[in-house]
């Protein structure tokens, strides 16, 4: 499996899509070959929007690899 080039992780919470505060602490650990993202709770958030972007290509663009809504404080990218 080629190395997963995750250059950035964008976490947005959406209690009612108002304000969209961001968690202050985002960490990545691995469970075997699967990266697992963890973040701090944001007051009032029920769902978090998680978007994972690849490293920049030759043109400097960062293609999106995944985008999901998550309940809880972690998500495994698989």
């Amino acid at each position: 499996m080629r190395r997963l080039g995750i250059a950035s992780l964008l976490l947005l919470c959406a209690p009612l899509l108002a304000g969209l505060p961001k968690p202050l602490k985002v960490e990545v650990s691995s469970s075997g070959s699967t990266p697992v993202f963890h973040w701090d709770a944001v007051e009032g958030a029920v769902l978090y929007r998680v978007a994972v972007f690849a490293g920049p290509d030759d043109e400097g663009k960062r293609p999106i690899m995944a985008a999901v809504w998550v309940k809880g404080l972690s998500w495994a990218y698989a």
Side-chain angles (χ1 to χ4, degrees), residues 7-71:
S8 63
L9 171 71
L10 176 65
L11 288 170
L12 300 175
C13 86
L16 294 173
L17 296 178
L20 296 174
K22 296 179 186 176
L24 297 176
K25 186 177 179 185
V26 177
E27 295 179 348
V28 181
S29 62
S30 69
S31 173
S33 62
T34 303
V36 180
F37 300 95
H38 305 270
W39 53 88
D40 287 347
V42 174
E43 186 176 338
V46 177
L47 295 172
Y48 295 86
R49 181 68 171 166
V50 178
V52 179
F53 297 89
D57 60 15
D58 293 341
E59 297 175 4
K61 297 178 182 175
R62 294 175 182 245
I64 192 164
M65 297 174 71
V68 295
W69 287 99
V70 177
K71 270 189 168 183

